[in-house]
Amino acid sequence: ATILERRCGCAPSHAKLLVKVLNVLQQRRSKSGVFQGKNGLITPRDLLRWAERRPASKADLAFEGYCILAERLRMEDEKAVVKETIEEVIKVKIDTERYLAPDSEGRAQLSRIIALGDDGLAATGLSTKEIAPTSTLLRLLLLVGKCIEQKEPVLLVGETGCGKTTVCQLYSLLYQRHLHVVNCHANTETSDLLGGLRPLR
């Protein structure tokens, strides 16, 4: 708890709760991360990421923990275990519908993007009529937005058409950054992405 307080500027009361969540979750075992042992559901690195978000209230603390720990899991029963543990330790209810609220961060980001108009979206090949505020898109906008704010790396995994590329395109417009899209396949090698040296004949 002292490390979280000094390194991340986390409130002492919050730091103790985070460590308690770590201890409880390490006693559980993840089915999908069976080879990770006690680190299947949470790692010390996750704890540092959670503390660095510096939530103002216990409700925010619980929701940030849910975003970091549960949203990366693919099995619903594991998500439920993480959610129940956080709620039990922090003693607040996590509102999983927060993504869809009228004042949600995802909707705020989407409003900023739509305000750019069709001219602003032209570079991505999208138009304002093609962007629908679905629950999946709002969820991705919120989760990816939090990672961008904290300068955390993001790995998006999902079925074709679930919005992974769209979210990246929208944030590249919002932050006015050039987006490089590389379509990978079975024969893609590291040198295709990073470049390499080839002998001259």
Side-chain angles (χ1 to χ4, degrees), residues 136-145 156 162-164 167 171:
T136 303
L137 181 63
L138 293 174
R139 174 174 161 268
L140 281 174
L141 283 171
L142 184 143
L143 294 173
V144 174
L156 299 177
C162 70
K164 302 183 297 295
V167 165
Y171 270 116

Side-chain angles (χ1 to χ4, degrees), residues 96-114:
T96 54
E97 298 298 314
R98 186 167 166 177
Y99 305 117
L100 307 176
D103 59 345
S104 72
E105 295 170 45
R107 285 190 191 276
Q109 299 285 38
L110 189 59
S111 297
R112 289 173 60 197
I113 292 164
I114 290 175

Side-chain angles (χ1 to χ4, degrees), residues 20-134:
K20 193 172 180 181
V21 171
L22 172 73
N23 292 333
V24 174
L25 285 178
Q26 284 189 333
Q27 293 171 8
R28 309 285 180 98
R29 288 294 181 266
S30 168
K31 295 176 186 174
S32 56
V34 66
F35 296 110
Q36 295 175 345
K38 67 179 184 179
N39 293 325
L41 294 175
I42 187 171
T43 66
R45 183 178 298 232
D46 295 327
L47 208 64
L48 291 171
R49 287 175 56 208
W50 191 358
E52 283 174 353
R53 296 202 175 183
R54 297 174 191 168
S57 65
K58 283 190 174 182
D60 290 338
L61 181 71
F63 185 72
E64 293 290 355
Y66 182 82
C67 289
I68 291 171
L69 303 175
E71 286 293 4
R72 68 183 179 190
L73 300 172
R74 300 189 188 183
M75 300 178 70
E76 291 300 323
D77 55 340
E78 290 184 353
K79 280 189 179 184
V81 167
V82 171
K83 181 175 180 285
E84 288 167 11
T85 301
I86 293 173
E87 288 178 338
E88 184 181 333
V89 172
I90 301 179
K91 294 181 171 53
V92 295
K93 286 288 181 185
I94 297 172
D95 181 15
T96 54
E97 298 298 314
R98 186 167 166 177
Y99 305 117
L100 307 176
D103 59 345
S104 72
E105 295 170 45
R107 285 190 191 276
Q109 299 285 38
L110 189 59
S111 297
R112 289 173 60 197
I113 292 164
I114 290 175
L116 297 173
D118 288 333
D119 292 337
L121 292 169
T124 63
L126 299 171
S127 72
T128 52
K129 294 179 181 178
E130 294 174 343
I131 303 173
T134 62

